Amino acid sequence: MLEQKLENKNIKPTTMRLLVLKQLVECGAAISLKDLEAKFERADKATLYRTLKTFEEKKLIHSIEDGTGSLKYALCEEGCECEPQDQHIHFHCVKCGETYCLTQSKIPQTQIPTGFKASSASMVYKGTCANCL
């Protein structure tokens, strides 16, 4: 299943890519490069970074700026092209630090002025997640 997910996005399924994808699938929340490094202590930081960048370029994952100063990454939904209309709201828990994709809640469409072209959109709610309440 993981290999097929990579192949569907024209990504060669290397061992490291499969391990990173497995971690993203199992995590259930967005994950930072630093978090990935902690899970793969023996992996090269540059390899992990390149893996995430490849996944992002091929629209397998998206990055999230949740206000913590560290980009986090999460799996895209099927059919996502990472265009503003595809993007959803995120929730950052101020207690545990996890960031969750609220895929059922799309970012509201906004009228962009003539002469401007949006390439991405971001909306993050902050508060306490269900696990920390």
Side-chain angles (χ1 to χ4, degrees):
M1 176 194 130
L2 294 177
E3 282 186 31
Q4 189 61 50
K5 202 171 195 59
L6 292 177
E7 289 171 0
N8 288 346
K9 294 289 187 174
N10 295 315
I11 301 170
K12 184 180 175 188
T14 65
T15 301
M16 181 53 71
R17 289 174 178 171
L18 288 166
L19 288 170
V20 170
L21 179 58
K22 183 176 188 276
Q23 187 62 47
L24 287 163
V25 168
E26 291 175 353
C27 187
I31 192 166
S32 69
L33 176 59
K34 184 178 177 182
D35 294 335
L36 269 179
E37 288 172 11
K39 296 195 182 289
F40 300 108
E41 292 176 10
R42 296 181 184 203
D44 178 50
K45 181 178 180 175
T47 301
L48 288 172
Y49 178 77
R50 282 193 311 271
T51 298
L52 291 172
K53 285 297 149 198
T54 298
F55 286 4
E56 191 171 25
E57 288 167 7
K58 298 288 188 171
K59 297 178 172 58
L60 179 63
I61 64 172
H62 60 280
S63 60
I64 305 148
E65 295 178 36
D66 62 5
T68 62
S70 176
L71 273 182
K72 293 192 179 163
Y73 301 89
L75 289 172
C76 288
E77 295 179 277
E78 281 301 315
C80 176
E81 291 299 318
C82 293
E83 296 294 327
Q85 66 270 16
D86 296 327
Q87 295 171 353
H88 51 264
I89 295 170
H90 295 92
F91 187 93
H92 176 73
C93 179
V94 296
K95 217 168 190 180
C96 67
E98 296 285 356
T99 298
Y100 299 92
C101 293
L102 305 180
T103 56
Q104 73 282 6
S105 301
K106 299 296 181 192
I107 293 175
Q109 295 293 313
T110 302
Q111 187 65 37
I112 304 295
T114 304
F116 292 78
K117 183 178 187 234
S119 59
S120 68
S122 177
M123 181 179 268
V124 179
Y125 281 88
K126 294 182 180 189
T128 308
C129 72
N131 295 329
C132 293
L133 285 176

